Amino acid sequence: MLHENPLMADIDVDHWRNLQSLLLESAKEKRRIIVIHEGGKILKFAHSAKAAVVRPIDKVTDVHKDAEAIYDANVATTDLVVVIERGASDAYFKAVQNAWTPADDIDVYVHRAFTLMGQYPDGIVVFPGPASYRLGLQWRLGASYAEVEAAVHAFAKPNSSAVFGVFEGAKLWTTLVLHFDAARKIDVVTTVDPTEIKADGGREAVVAEVTEWVSKRYGTVSLGLYSDTAGAERFLKAVDKVKALAELRRTDALIATPLPAPLAALIKLA
Amino acid sequence: MTSNARSDERIVAEDHQFRIGGRVEELYAGAVHYWRLERDKWSDILDKVRSLGFTAISIYMPWEVHEIERGKFDFGSIDPRKDLDAFLTLAEAKGLKIIARPGPQINSELTWFGYPLRILADPELQAQNAQGGRTVLTQVPRPIPAVSYAVDKFFDETALWFDAIMPILSKHQYPVGGLISAQVDNEMAFFFNINAYASDFCPASIKRFRAFLEGKYGSIAGLNAVYRAKYASFADVDAPRSFSATTRTDLPAYVDWIEYRERYLIDSMKRLADMMRERGLDRIPLFHNYPHPLGPGGAASGITAPYNLMGLEEVLDFVGFDIYSRKELYEHVKTVTSYVVGSSRFPYIPEFIAGVWPWYLHPGDDKDEAFVTRAALMHGIKGFSRYMLVERDRWLASPIRRDGRVRPENAAVFSSTNKVLKDFDFKSLRRQADVLLLANRDYDRLEAASVLISYPGDFLESQISLSEYPNFMTTSEETFGFAEPVQTAKNDWFAAFYEALSSGGQTFLLSDTALPADRLPRYKAVLLSSFEFLGATVQKKLLDYVKAGGTVVVGPKLPSLDERFAADTTLLDAAKAGGSSVVSVVNREAATRYAIGKGALVVVQEIADVEAVLGVALAGAGVVPVRKNHPKLDVTIHRDPAVNGKAVVFVANPTAQPIVADVGIGTSVSKVSEVWEGKPVVITAAGWKDDFAPYTIKTYIVEA
């Protein structure tokens, strides 16, 4: 989805920070118990915050049950238990790196890396799992990579921009501006520049000015979706995105302008 | 290492000063990327750089951007933004000095890290992981394979780039032009494949490893004696591919691989530096920037293996670490800067946070940058380049935007800093440090070797969410026949010494056991952890230092072995030969003090006793701590040797709580003035008082 040379410039640091907090989840920031073993023999049993750990097992015999038992015994201090077998880990990372091609953009490469993790179901185990969903830096969009790709193809107009915004009161708390090239590759990733948005007549006025500003700067806006934080979180958690948008619209928690005709039709039906 | 210059034009980086023709320069630089800006904006932007008080600009030169095809380059004849010569001339006309960073690798968030794609895509140039596959760094927008700096072909290709760019740079060298220093390559750390078994196992590297072993042991018999092996020749020796040692006799083979990785980085940087000097860049100091080692907490590891600052300063003029930190990570900034100040000829931050790249998680704001700036200065940094001073593609929150507009809050941080540094002649100040805390390179190498799993570098987050740097979550827990696992216990002891020094108000710097012996006598006391083994050279230089009058404090024990685990009782024998006395704390024997020559060797047995023993041992060495009323306050003292009776004192509150500070520096004071806010300060009988909001650093001019 990402162009080889996307322009990522003129990003507002507050919007960007808030966007990260909304969309990203890092396993490294969680309280983890790490178990490293070799064919069942435990070589490492450590808590990421150096908290005391209860060790209900002496060796790994049934890795999924063992991971759960470790979690249950330490639930008060632990968000995740990660059990890694040395040989499986080596094989996994060899496969990830060997699969690289110069044409891989970051999301293709990372998506494939997590897909490959599924081929080591007993070698890299997380409880609560699955490993490919819990580990690493994850987008929390409430949709799979394939679903996001499908949505881009269905609703992103070539050579146009999309704007997503979250309001806090009448001010934008975060924005995301994307531009799609002729092949629907994302060649611009940025935010709105809040210093240049002067409208103070309520959210609709702000949206109108943002739409005009983005169109002038990056290209015609073909999709604009705005809500507040609660609405954004509901949308991101929802499995049925269209239904979520329809619900937000019904409760006046959504400003959707402009809206591609296919998406408008779906929302109307939902 | 610079040459071919008259003495009144010579540029020298030494003794914590950057001198041109004998005159100490203020090296307060910022990064500007000419090719990413519209040419008609160059002049205005450089004016704004000057207006913020910067004395120099630091510029990458991207091979990736200038190369049209192999051996052919555009330096402005096609795209006027690439007219490097014009940009350098313009900078000189503005009165700015220049620091050049021509790569070959420059990262700078370019898609191909600064290389033409053909370099990365060439399998002959790719580094290999322990399984023999390519090593890939996950970066935005395209993951890239690591390049091997062991392959001659890579240097042949780089020569084409250097042949094109060095003539342009050479003619701008001081004194003819404003070019006063240049960086060799960029953040060379195996492409962030820090993990010992992630890189570089390509055939060329293995060949160099074998040559390294031959140089170290002299003969295969010499290696076999240490490895307890029966290799017929060095050609039969492979690098360790994963860690499986169980006894101490297994360890040298692994630790040698770690030492080789340090040499790999040093030798490749020397090779590139020689290529630069041969092509005319021979009148200016050359330097390198290790990447910012954001280890867990205060980075007890990450400043040594695979980095070897002092080893690299044998072939380059100076070496620094980059810093991209936030106010909550004060201990990280303190650790890195204290180490650079304690180890480098000229403590410089080649990339010092000014905005961040888009995939930096949880970016800070201008308050973070202000705090981190003062934190680095308080620990003794003498020069820096703010990266990036001018925003560009794939960078945000710089003080100057790419259209020339200024972000007032960010700009104020830099302009006020530069003004204070100049007004108070910061370049002439010397950091007072009575104590030196050493990381032990041999123990750090063991830690690096003992990682149980291997994975590549990742600018986002490794798929298994573990740091690339070795730490307690990834290293072996084997004891190898020692009383405890040295590879993890050494971190506990380092942290105990560090915490005790900090909370006790001791003025200290950091370095590692590779520090040349002649630099130890600058300190009244030297501290380091010591287990059953300690390097032979280290034991000797510590003994010489003690005999000459220094105090060494170690824990938990004196060694009986050297780094190859052969018998070495240098310190033990000296301790037994001298008189000894018990150091008691709360009526309990906590340490033993051995009188050796004119000095003392103190051995603390239990980590819980470190703080108390240090108080006694350092007092015995004549070390006077600063006075402070809160253990979390941090105080550093700087003095100008040419000025009596005046000190520049930094006081930091690095916590999330306010503190009413009451501090003193061991002398009576007649006047105290704060340099940043200019607010009045209450003088007391023994010092002064002041209110500190959370994450605040203040700087005082203290007159006796």
Side-chain angles (χ1 to χ4, degrees):
Chain A
M1 284 185 276
L2 200 59
H3 188 274
E4 171 185 314
N5 246 328
L7 177 71
M8 301 179 75
D10 306 316
I11 295 171
D12 179 78
V13 69
D14 293 327
H15 279 203
W16 196 248
R17 189 188 308 113
N18 293 339
L19 191 68
Q20 287 180 356
S21 70
L22 189 64
L23 296 183
L24 299 178
E25 186 174 355
S26 159
K28 218 170 174 182
E29 294 173 3
K30 305 242 184 268
R31 302 168 305 168
R32 294 155 289 146
I33 289 178
I34 309 294
V35 177
I36 301 174
H37 69 103
E38 189 156 44
K41 180 184 175 193
I42 293 177
L43 304 173
K44 171 67 60 181
F45 204 125
H47 191 288
S48 58
K50 295 191 177 177
V53 289
V54 175
R55 296 174 66 145
I57 58 168
D58 292 324
K59 56 183 179 178
V60 176
T61 50
D62 183 331
V63 63
H64 297 275
K65 281 194 181 146
D66 292 337
E68 185 172 357
I70 295 168
Y71 178 81
D72 288 343
N74 296 278
V75 66
T77 60
T78 303
D79 300 312
L80 290 177
V81 171
V82 185
V83 184
I84 300 171
E85 202 282 325
R86 292 184 81 189
S89 175
D90 280 348
Y92 165 67
F93 280 108
K94 181 180 177 182
V96 167
Q97 295 174 95
N98 280 354
W100 172 87
T101 75
D104 285 352
D105 51 45
I106 179 74
D107 47 318
V108 165
Y109 183 81
V110 173
H111 174 67
R112 184 171 60 226
F114 282 107
T115 304
L116 276 171
M117 194 179 277
Q119 294 180 13
Y120 302 86
D122 299 332
I124 301 172
V125 172
V126 171
F127 190 91
S132 59
Y133 183 78
R134 295 283 181 196
L135 288 176
L137 183 66
Q138 299 270 353
W139 292 96
R140 288 299 179 233
L141 302 179
S144 69
Y145 183 81
E147 286 167 338
V148 172
E149 237 184 349
V152 167
H153 277 98
F155 306 124
K157 201 172 158 190
N159 294 315
S160 79
S161 303
V163 185
F164 306 94
V166 178
F167 279 97
E168 208 168 53
K171 277 189 67 175
L172 282 166
W173 176 75
T174 187
T175 55
L176 175 63
V177 176
L178 305 174
H179 183 270
F180 299 90
D181 70 3
R184 287 196 181 91
K185 290 275 192 183
I186 299 170
D187 60 1
V188 171
V189 180
T190 186
T191 66
V192 162
D193 181 351
T195 68
E196 296 194 359
I197 305 299
K198 309 293 180 198
D200 59 3
R203 292 183 183 182
E204 270 81 10
V206 170
V207 168
E209 186 176 349
V210 164
T211 304
E212 186 184 347
W213 183 87
V214 173
S215 293
K216 271 192 196 148
R217 204 173 164 98
Y218 298 110
T220 307
V221 178
S222 61
L223 170 64
L225 295 175
Y226 305 80
S227 185
D228 53 23
T229 335
E233 285 169 358
R234 282 206 302 276
F235 173 76
L236 290 169
K237 284 197 171 99
V239 173
D240 187 337
K241 299 295 185 199
V242 172
K243 193 172 169 189
L245 288 175
E247 182 58 29
L248 287 172
R249 192 173 229 185
R250 265 195 291 280
T251 55
D252 285 332
L254 176 71
I255 301 175
T257 180
L259 206 52
L263 183 55
L266 284 173
I267 291 173
K268 203 169 175 185
L269 286 172
Chain B
M1 272 152 268
T2 55
S3 60
N4 302 331
R6 290 183 356 215
S7 61
D8 61 338
E9 294 169 349
R10 275 192 69 213
I11 304 179
V12 173
E14 67 180 12
D15 195 28
H16 287 200
Q17 294 179 333
F18 192 94
R19 295 195 293 271
I20 300 179
R23 188 184 70 253
V24 181
E25 277 292 306
E26 288 166 334
L27 200 53
Y28 310 141
V32 185
H33 288 184
Y34 56 95
W35 75 96
R36 282 166 150 155
L37 304 170
E38 292 307 316
R39 184 157 173 168
D40 60 5
K41 298 266 190 287
W42 285 357
S43 182
D44 176 56
I45 281 172
L46 290 178
D47 284 338
K48 295 210 165 92
V49 169
R50 279 288 273 163
S51 74
L52 293 180
F54 288 94
T55 63
I57 53 169
S58 172
I59 321 168
Y60 274 135
M61 287 105 199
W63 181 7
E64 172 180 340
V65 171
H66 283 286
E67 180 171 294
I68 304 166
E69 61 183 69
R70 186 176 185 271
K72 283 199 180 149
F73 302 89
D74 175 21
F75 284 110
S77 55
I78 301 170
D79 182 347
R81 293 175 303 173
K82 297 180 189 176
D83 191 346
L84 171 63
D85 187 42
F87 186 75
L88 297 178
T89 303
L90 182 63
E92 287 160 351
K94 302 285 183 186
L96 287 162
K97 299 286 195 303
I98 297 160
I99 297 165
R101 306 208 285 166
Q105 185 263 94
I106 65 166
N107 182 0
S108 67
E109 292 67 47
L110 286 168
T111 298
W112 305 120
F113 229 53
Y115 302 101
L117 173 56
R118 63 179 182 83
I119 298 293
L120 298 174
D122 186 344
E124 291 179 24
L125 300 182
Q126 291 171 358
Q128 289 183 13
N129 58 37
Q131 289 88 41
R134 73 171 71 87
T135 305
V136 177
L137 168 67
T138 303
Q139 67 124 21
V140 184
R142 295 276 166 115
I144 58 160
V147 174
S148 176
Y149 278 40
V151 173
D152 289 334
K153 183 179 175 184
F154 167 69
F155 293 93
D156 294 338
E157 291 290 342
T158 299
L160 297 176
W161 163 239
F162 278 3
D163 286 344
I165 191 160
M166 292 306 156
I168 299 174
L169 296 179
S170 299
K171 65 179 191 169
H172 285 273
Q173 277 187 113
Y174 184 90
V176 174
L179 178 57
I180 58 171
S181 191
Q183 180 177 293
V184 179
D185 205 57
N186 178 59
E187 291 188 335
M188 183 43 185
F190 299 99
F191 292 73
F192 299 89
N193 291 289
I194 307 293
N195 185 288
Y197 307 106
S199 195
D200 177 10
F201 292 81
C202 77
S205 178
I206 297 299
K207 190 175 171 191
R208 287 182 187 273
F209 175 57
R210 291 171 179 144
F212 159 80
L213 291 176
E214 187 162 4
K216 180 170 182 173
Y217 291 104
S219 67
I220 195 64
L223 178 141
N224 284 335
V226 175
Y227 282 23
R228 314 277 174 100
K230 292 178 182 174
Y231 293 109
S233 71
F234 284 99
D236 297 325
V237 181
D238 191 21
R241 305 273 169 161
S242 68
F243 188 74
S244 56
T246 52
T247 71
R248 68 181 68 168
T249 54
D250 298 332
L251 294 177
Y254 294 92
V255 175
D256 280 345
W257 172 248
I258 305 305
E259 186 182 351
Y260 162 71
R261 292 181 99 228
E262 295 170 27
R263 283 259 43 108
Y264 178 121
L265 298 183
I266 292 169
D267 292 345
S268 56
M269 292 305 100
K270 178 182 187 309
R271 192 168 176 179
L272 290 171
D274 289 345
M275 289 167 66
M276 292 166 73
R277 293 193 179 105
E278 285 158 13
R279 286 161 177 77
L281 231 59
D282 58 358
R283 301 166 65 95
I284 58 175
L286 301 182
F287 68 95
H288 185 70
N289 59 332
Y290 283 134
H292 66 124
L294 208 83
S301 64
I303 48 178
T304 62
Y307 314 124
N308 191 328
L309 188 150
M310 285 162 286
L312 192 50
E313 283 197 354
E314 289 177 12
V315 302
L316 299 181
D317 294 276
F318 60 98
V319 177
F321 272 95
D322 297 337
I323 292 182
Y324 291 99
S325 202
R326 295 188 302 274
K327 58 187 186 297
E328 293 84 0
L329 300 171
Y330 170 78
E331 296 301 335
H332 162 250
V333 179
K334 178 178 172 179
T335 301
V336 174
T337 53
S338 295
Y339 177 79
V340 173
V341 174
S343 306
S344 174
R345 286 193 187 98
F346 175 60
Y348 175 77
I349 306 174
E351 291 181 25
F352 195 13
I353 186 169
V356 289
W357 54 98
W359 38 102
Y360 181 109
L361 287 189
H362 311 305
D365 57 16
D366 56 291
K367 296 176 194 49
D368 286 275
E369 290 181 359
F371 183 83
V372 170
T373 297
R374 295 184 196 182
L377 294 171
M378 86 178 268
H379 293 289
I381 286 296
K382 286 287 170 238
F384 49 76
S385 174
R386 306 310 303 239
Y387 192 93
M388 298 269 321
L389 205 49
V390 182
E391 213 163 280
R392 40 82 171 177
D393 183 21
R394 297 179 204 164
W395 202 265
L396 60 146
S398 295
I400 303 171
R401 301 180 63 161
R402 55 187 192 132
D403 60 7
R405 282 182 289 168
V406 172
R407 294 182 196 277
E409 293 85 8
N410 302 76
V413 171
F414 303 115
S415 59
S416 64
T417 298
N418 292 336
K419 182 175 187 313
V420 163
L421 293 177
K422 288 173 186 172
D423 286 352
F424 295 96
D425 196 25
F426 199 73
K427 68 183 185 302
S428 299
L429 298 177
R430 300 285 177 165
R431 165 91 196 271
Q432 176 185 313
D434 295 326
V435 181
L436 183 68
L437 172 58
L438 295 178
N440 189 309
R441 188 163 284 276
D442 291 315
Y443 301 162
D444 291 350
R445 285 174 180 161
L446 174 58
E447 180 187 39
S450 71
V451 286
L452 294 168
I453 44 178
S454 170
Y455 37 95
D458 197 315
F459 277 177
L460 300 178
E461 182 171 313
S462 159
Q463 282 83 17
I464 49 174
S465 299
L466 292 167
S467 170
E468 291 89 340
Y469 290 91
N471 61 80
F472 70 96
M473 286 190 278
T474 55
T475 52
S476 169
E477 293 173 3
E478 287 278 355
T479 63
F480 311 111
F482 301 120
E484 52 188 328
V486 173
Q487 64 275 15
T488 48
K490 59 99 178 172
N491 290 328
D492 297 334
W493 277 87
F494 185 94
F497 282 132
Y498 179 99
E499 286 298 326
L501 290 170
S502 297
S503 62
Q506 307 293 354
T507 57
F508 71 101
L509 286 172
L510 305 178
S511 187
D512 73 70
T513 46
L515 189 73
D518 62 357
R519 287 160 69 173
L520 293 180
R522 297 178 190 179
Y523 306 93
K524 293 178 181 170
V526 173
L527 281 51
L528 74 163
S529 61
S530 168
F531 296 87
E532 285 92 330
F533 66 99
L534 189 63
T537 312
V538 177
Q539 290 199 50
K540 177 152 190 339
K541 68 180 152 191
L542 289 176
L543 181 59
D544 289 343
Y545 166 75
V546 170
K547 282 179 177 173
T551 296
V552 169
V553 182
V554 303
K557 59 186 67 168
L558 289 176
S560 57
L561 306 168
D562 67 15
E563 73 278 15
R564 297 185 189 180
F565 314 112
D568 188 333
T569 52
T570 300
L571 286 176
L572 258 179
D573 292 341
K576 284 177 189 164
S580 69
S581 57
V582 166
V583 177
S584 292
V585 170
V586 196
N587 299 320
R588 191 169 53 76
E589 181 178 326
T592 307
R593 181 182 184 281
Y594 301 95
I596 301 173
K598 297 178 187 172
L601 174 61
V602 180
V603 184
V604 187
Q605 281 106 35
E606 299 293 334
I607 209 170
D609 292 329
V610 162
E611 187 171 2
V613 169
L614 270 191
V616 174
L618 295 180
V623 176
V624 178
V626 299
R627 189 183 61 77
K628 56 181 186 172
N629 65 328
H630 193 294
K632 289 296 183 187
L633 286 173
D634 219 2
V635 181
T636 64
I637 306 171
H638 303 248
R639 298 180 198 277
D640 185 341
V643 177
N644 279 330
K646 197 187 267 192
V648 176
V649 180
F650 286 79
V651 181
N653 171 14
T655 75
Q657 310 303 324
I659 295 178
V660 178
D662 185 348
V663 298
I665 57 170
T667 59
S668 58
V669 302
S670 64
K671 189 177 173 189
V672 179
S673 46
E674 203 281 321
V675 312
W676 299 102
E677 306 290 325
K679 288 183 181 160
V681 179
V682 174
I683 295 179
T684 67
W688 65 97
K689 283 185 179 177
D690 206 347
D691 293 335
F692 280 73
Y695 301 113
T696 300
I697 298 175
K698 298 189 183 185
T699 311
Y700 304 91
I701 306 299
V702 179
E703 295 176 58

